[in-house]
Amino acid sequence: RYFRWWYKKTRIEKKSAFIDLLCAVPLQQIYGCPLGGIGGGTITRGWRGEFCRWQLNPGIYHYETVIANQFTVCLRCKGQTVYQQVLSVERPSTLQGWNWGYCGHYAFYHALYPRAWMVYELPGQNVVLTCRQVSPVIPHDYKDSSLPVGVFIWEVENGKDEDVDVSIMFSLQNGTGTKEDRSGGHWNEPFAFEKDGERVAGVLLHHCTRVNPFTLAISAREKAGTGVTHLTAFNPTGSGREVWQDLLQDGRLDSPAGKSSLTEKGEVTAAAVCASCRVPARGHRTLELALAWDMPRVYFGSKEKLHLRRYTRFFGSGGDAAPALSHHALTHYEEWERKIEAWQKPILENSQLPSWYKSALFNELYFVTDGGTIWVELPPDCDAEDLQGPAGAGLSHLLPVLREYGRFAYLEGQEYRMYNTYDVHFYASFALVMLWPKLQISLQYDIAVTVVNEDVQPRQYLMCGQTAQVKLKNVVPHDIGDPGDEPWQRVNAYLMHDTADWKDLNLKFVLQVYRDYYLTRDSLYLRDMWPVCQAVMESELKFDMDNDGLIENGGFADQTYDAWVVNGASAYCGGLWLAAVCVMCKMAEVLGDAEIQQKYMDILSKGKEAFERMLWNGKYYNYDSSGSDTSSSIMSDQCAGQWFLGACGLDQGEFEVFPKSHVVSALKTIFEKNVMSFAGGTMGAVNGMRPDGVPDTSSVQSNEVWIGVVYALAATMIQEGLVEEGFRTAEGCYRTVWERLGMAFQTPEAYREKKVYRSLAYMRPLSIWSMQLALERRASRAPAPVQSPQVPIHP
């Protein structure tokens, strides 16, 4: 069935599949820190400095290294050029008039998202260049964090006993390396922008496609002692000799005035900007360059609705914002860095946290911007009726929230093209609610609107072959749509299962509502969400077939582990259910709804008893109660309900749902079996382990490690006082992904012990921020500092 659907979609309709199981993106171990803020598109640079991953059209990725996009250095002493080199280890077949092949032995890369550092010790020159790359990704900032810009600050250290004139040339192709670059009609023009006594100059590269046209801008900051010159257009497919000679001659570019001509069909164009200054003997100087891109008005694949990106609120949607964006970036990056340092410093300077964790915590955040992320404004003429659909009138703050903070969406993964996939966002949402809480609240309003509305269009689901409607009323959707279609408008792009029968989505909504309220104290939000929570819990109650206060799974893979069958009461869904019932009691108490509170208190006391009776085996909670061969498997995610309750401060006293001793025993069993008995304890926790210490191979997912689940498990361990075990568990994932497998800035959903990984660049690992929440909680409670593990793992 999938193959037939795939063939029709990709070969006949010529569209992309929401999940392409037949053409996975090949692994390239090249990626570094992406450029750009949230929701304006991203351009990723590799750790060797190349520009190699592009997401300007929302949610759509191109993996092309554009060889003309380079930084080149020119050194001059006493009026003579003594050294001129492209800062790239490549030796390409184009631009052969340039001096390529920089020796990688003299270059070093470091990334701590949203910044990266490239150090070049120029061989034989006694000059060191450090390029610091900065993007405006700033917690609790909803303006500059939306800007599609990156800044390159070049620190030049002159170790010589004589002055050196240093130039840095930044060259860029008009386009993203795809066939559109040759479609004709593109053009470049120089620009200068002055404001508040600060002047920025460079070149605009206008990329004039029919849908989603954009402008790229390369620029540098002019200041006393720094000259900025440019070359408006050159051919990046030729030898490039004229560009090289121009720079070689005097360390500057010719700076022709006027626009370039439009490109012919088949022709590609590029431009360059150059910043130059004199660096005194034994002194140092700074050159500041920037890249901005302006694609303000976007259509998704269906081309039905025009969307304006968030940054247009501050810079306009006319498509002429690149000069102002460039100027803003070059005059504000110091302020951005102060804010980034103030945020990161307390964590980086905490000697009790292992250094791998500091890297993981910040670098996994790349997905907030580089998850195909889109952040758009509401149309000015949009009113409440348009937004809330036929049934959303109860959401009184929907319009004000979305009007003020816009709409936010990110993909389940760069290969799994569904926006805001909700069973996965449950894990990742900690990063949003801790750092950009208003985006989490906006996302939740979008989900709430979808919950109360329906889409009765029938369609066939690929796993079971049955036909059912796209979206049922009063259930949480799987996702809010495919970037290749019309997200928000048409939800549930996921065609594998009919998720109306999934057991986890509704519960995950209720748990997030209370967690968000607990962390933000936004009572208007809580009040708006309360009727929606009641509606989805009512829908969920039908899954408690025997009225014992505990829901049952339906004998298919009816939750986030969508290929792992579960039958009867289960540790994962049963635990999430009891946690959701518990927060219903708590929300009812906060809102003074005694009747609902009593209703859910009764369910909770029954359900707790059933859960313990049917699943607890003295050491841990069984996978499910079906009595099948794999019923007694040890699931690494069996304490997911407890994890969320702990994050909401509901894990003790009157709200203790799962007996503390049972939780700790289960976590210790998971540590012993799923972590330490798997791959020698060096790869995190396997999803399912048999009691005899062999991975559960009953499904394709039970013997995988899911990185985002492991980070959540580690957070649960930390919450329960098993701090050393928590760090040890998560460290295995970090070292496997970022060190052994070379998957930096593309953390996958899953890997197996041997050679298999799945779904690169995935949402779930953002759950590492729940570890940080657990650590902050502990620190606020702990009288004495906790010793973190001193024993590193050497895989």
Side-chain angles (χ1 to χ4, degrees):
R1 259 192 305 266
Y2 176 83
F3 181 75
R4 283 201 307 271
W5 172 85
W6 177 89
Y7 189 84
K8 178 170 176 255
K9 189 85 175 169
T10 62
R11 296 298 181 266
I12 297 168
E13 295 174 18
K14 298 279 190 276
K15 290 184 175 163
S16 301
F18 71 96
I19 293 181
D20 196 328
L21 299 174
L22 302 172
C23 305
V25 173
L27 170 64
Q28 298 185 80
Q29 296 156 314
I30 63 174
Y31 296 113
C33 185
L35 292 158
I38 302 174
T42 36
I43 298 171
T44 300
R45 292 184 78 200
W47 50 266
R48 293 189 194 89
E50 68 273 49
F51 289 75
C52 54
R53 184 168 72 193
W54 305 81
Q55 186 254 147
L56 298 189
N57 279 321
I60 308 299
Y61 277 84
H62 294 295
Y63 304 91
E64 309 282 342
T65 293
V66 182
I67 203 69
N69 297 357
Q70 298 293 347
F71 289 100
T72 297
V73 61
C74 171
L75 304 182
R76 291 169 61 78
C77 294
K78 303 190 178 73
Q80 293 291 305
T81 296
V82 294
Y83 180 85
Q84 186 164 298
Q85 173 74 48
V86 185
L87 295 171
S88 163
V89 296
E90 303 290 336
R91 295 178 183 276
S93 57
T94 51
L95 298 172
Q96 292 201 327
W98 295 15
N99 183 24
W100 294 89
Y102 183 84
C103 175
H105 184 73
Y106 297 99
F108 309 88
Y109 182 79
H110 310 270
L112 190 69
Y113 189 75
R115 298 195 293 171
W117 293 258
M118 302 190 98
V119 182
Y120 301 90
E121 297 174 350
L122 302 181
Q125 299 309 308
N126 211 349
V127 170
V128 178
L129 308 176
T130 302
C131 175
R132 196 166 74 253
Q133 172 185 310
V134 182
S135 293
V137 179
I138 303 157
H140 306 286
D141 172 297
Y142 299 91
K143 181 191 172 188
D144 284 9
S145 287
S146 72
L147 303 182
V149 295
V151 181
F152 308 98
I153 304 101
W154 289 83
E155 303 276 354
V156 186
E157 295 169 73
N158 178 11
K160 296 181 194 276
D161 290 322
E162 56 180 327
D163 295 359
V164 180
D165 289 318
V166 178
S167 296
I168 299 284
M169 176 176 80
F170 181 14
S171 53
L172 195 81
Q173 184 163 312
N174 185 327
T176 61
T178 64
K179 63 178 189 293
E180 260 111 32
D181 295 10
R182 298 175 178 276
S183 62
H186 310 315
W187 57 286
N188 309 334
E189 62 173 328
F191 80 94
F193 191 96
E194 193 164 342
K195 184 179 158 190
D196 305 331
E198 294 271 6
R199 189 177 148 92
V200 163
V203 183
L204 303 176
L205 299 90
H206 300 293
H207 194 77
C208 307
T209 47
R210 213 166 38 87
V211 181
N212 299 349
F214 59 91
T215 295
L216 296 159
I218 49 176
S219 62
R221 186 179 188 173
E222 287 186 4
K223 51 188 184 193
T226 299
V228 178
T229 53
H230 70 267
L231 186 58
T232 311
F234 70 91
N235 174 10
T237 60
S239 75
R241 202 159 279 121
E242 73 292 2
V243 186
W244 196 258
Q245 292 306 320
D246 184 356
L247 185 65
L248 196 67
Q249 209 176 330
D250 55 1
R252 298 200 171 345
L253 295 172
D254 255 347
S255 299
K259 306 171 177 180
S260 75
S261 51
L262 299 184
T263 55
E264 300 289 332
K265 201 168 171 53
E267 188 187 1
V268 188
T269 184
V273 66
C274 175
S276 317
C277 69
R278 176 160 292 176
V279 186
R282 307 266 165 205
H284 83 272
R285 288 287 180 271
T286 304
L287 295 167
E288 300 147 301
L289 294 95
L291 171 62
W293 52 98
D294 182 26
M295 184 197 279
R297 306 154 68 83
V298 291
Y299 288 97
F300 290 109
S302 76
K303 306 186 188 55
E304 284 171 34
K305 284 192 159 186
L306 177 67
H307 301 269
L308 300 187
R309 296 201 198 248
R310 168 73 176 181
Y311 74 86
T312 61
R313 169 184 280 239
F314 315 108
F315 287 87
S317 59
D320 53 1
L325 283 165
S326 306
H327 185 279
H328 187 84
L330 286 165
T331 54
H332 287 76
Y333 78 83
E334 290 144 306
E335 179 195 327
W336 298 343
E337 288 198 283
R338 278 196 300 277
K339 290 176 175 170
I340 290 166
E341 280 166 12
W343 159 46
Q344 295 186 339
K345 219 175 184 156
I347 294 168
L348 298 176
E349 289 182 349
N350 182 345
S351 59
Q352 289 165 2
L353 298 174
S355 53
W356 67 262
Y357 170 76
K358 297 167 184 178
S359 167
L361 184 70
F362 293 115
N363 284 325
E364 291 287 14
L365 269 182
Y366 84 94
F367 197 82
V368 170
T369 61
D370 204 13
T373 311
I374 180 84
W375 185 5
V376 294
E377 291 285 274
L378 275 192
D381 56 350
C382 181
D383 61 21
E385 278 69 52
D386 297 340
L387 269 185
Q388 61 206 22
L395 298 164
S396 58
H397 286 82
L398 170 70
L399 190 60
V401 165
L402 295 192
R403 188 149 276 164
E404 183 57 32
Y405 295 104
R407 280 185 143 161
F408 172 87
Y410 60 154
L411 296 176
E412 179 178 336
Q414 289 179 11
E415 296 189 73
Y416 284 15
R417 292 202 342 217
M418 295 154 283
Y419 272 130
N420 295 351
T421 298
Y422 202 72
D423 53 300
V424 182
H425 172 70
F426 174 71
Y427 294 82
S429 61
F430 281 90
L432 276 191
V433 77
M434 290 171 71
L435 301 171
W436 293 277
K438 301 295 189 195
L439 294 183
Q440 165 66 5
I441 279 170
S442 162
L443 184 157
Q444 287 282 90
Y445 269 101
D446 273 331
I447 294 289
V449 167
T450 309
V451 167
V452 296
N453 288 295
E454 60 183 344
D455 179 345
V456 297
Q457 181 88 26
R459 62 177 180 182
Q460 186 187 37
Y461 289 93
L462 298 174
M463 284 298 230
C464 61
Q466 284 162 347
T467 299
Q469 68 182 65
V470 171
K471 166 70 177 63
L472 209 60
K473 195 173 164 65
N474 291 340
V475 300
V476 171
H478 173 273
D479 60 83
I480 59 120
D482 175 347
D485 185 30
E486 194 58 61
W488 292 297
Q489 184 86 354
R490 284 189 290 282
V491 303
N492 280 348
Y494 180 77
L495 265 181
M496 297 299 193
H497 295 277
D498 176 5
T499 58
D501 286 330
W502 273 21
K503 308 303 179 284
D504 58 342
L505 292 167
N506 297 330
L507 308 172
K508 287 173 171 177
F509 178 79
V510 172
L511 288 165
Q512 283 183 70
V513 167
Y514 183 71
R515 190 259 338 251
D516 299 345
Y517 165 72
Y518 179 72
L519 293 177
T520 64
R521 294 295 167 191
D522 184 337
S523 50
L524 295 173
Y525 165 74
L526 183 66
R527 219 166 275 284
D528 266 357
M529 295 297 150
W530 179 233
V532 187
C533 288
Q534 290 177 67
V536 300
M537 287 300 277
E538 276 305 316
S539 294
E540 192 77 12
L541 268 168
K542 70 174 179 289
F543 299 129
D544 177 8
M545 309 286 197
D546 51 7
N547 198 23
D548 61 353
L550 191 60
I551 59 166
E552 288 86 41
N553 288 83
F556 69 104
D558 53 0
Q559 27 67 45
T560 196
Y561 298 87
D562 57 356
W564 192 359
V565 170
V566 57
N567 210 341
S570 70
Y572 182 68
C573 292
L576 290 173
W577 162 254
L578 291 179
V581 171
C582 174
V583 306
M584 286 299 284
C585 298
K586 183 66 186 173
M587 289 190 284
E589 181 190 286
V590 170
L591 294 167
D593 192 332
E595 191 185 334
I596 296 286
Q597 187 178 358
Q598 192 54 54
K599 172 181 171 168
Y600 283 100
M601 293 293 261
D602 295 346
I603 294 172
L604 187 59
S605 61
K606 265 199 313 190
K608 282 201 304 202
E609 189 275 322
F611 188 76
E612 295 297 324
R613 173 169 43 82
M614 296 168 81
L615 295 163
W616 178 250
N617 65 18
K619 288 197 75 172
Y620 59 91
Y621 293 102
N622 284 335
Y623 177 66
D624 68 20
S625 67
S626 66
S628 70
D629 295 347
T630 51
S631 241
S632 56
S633 286
I634 306 158
M635 186 188 202
S636 65
D637 213 359
Q638 62 183 273
C639 297
Q642 176 69 8
W643 167 51
F644 245 73
L645 290 177
C648 301
L650 293 179
D651 51 346
Q652 46 225 325
E654 58 171 321
F655 287 106
E656 181 178 293
V657 174
F658 309 97
K660 271 280 187 246
S661 60
H662 289 189
V663 171
V664 171
S665 167
L667 291 171
K668 283 183 169 167
T669 305
I670 294 165
F671 185 69
E672 180 198 334
K673 299 286 190 186
N674 302 52
V675 180
M676 299 310 291
S677 305
F678 177 75
T682 62
M683 289 180 81
V686 68
N687 281 339
M689 182 62 98
R690 300 297 302 136
D692 61 1
V694 178
D696 177 341
T697 54
S698 64
S699 91
V700 291
Q701 291 174 338
S702 50
N703 67 340
E704 288 183 330
V705 175
W706 287 9
I707 295 93
V709 167
V710 174
Y711 289 151
L713 167 63
T716 317
M717 289 173 169
I718 292 166
Q719 275 168 204
E720 301 302 328
L722 304 172
V723 179
E724 202 161 325
E725 291 86 339
F727 277 124
R728 178 79 194 246
T729 298
E731 179 177 2
C733 280
Y734 174 79
R735 296 207 186 276
T736 299
V737 169
W738 291 76
E739 292 175 2
R740 285 223 304 278
L741 299 178
M743 292 179 179
F745 299 101
Q746 53 179 333
T747 305
E749 157 74 317
Y751 56 73
R752 290 200 187 144
E753 188 171 4
K754 299 270 193 297
K755 292 201 169 48
V756 177
Y757 65 88
R758 186 165 59 76
S759 191
L760 287 170
Y762 197 78
M763 177 199 283
R764 203 179 322 246
L766 285 171
S767 62
I768 191 166
W769 279 84
S770 68
M771 287 180 71
Q772 185 56 27
L773 183 66
L775 289 162
E776 288 172 13
R777 276 292 138 72
R778 274 189 73 75
S780 66
R781 288 201 305 259
V786 221
Q787 275 308 298
S788 79
Q790 296 306 316
V791 199
I793 311 179
H794 295 295

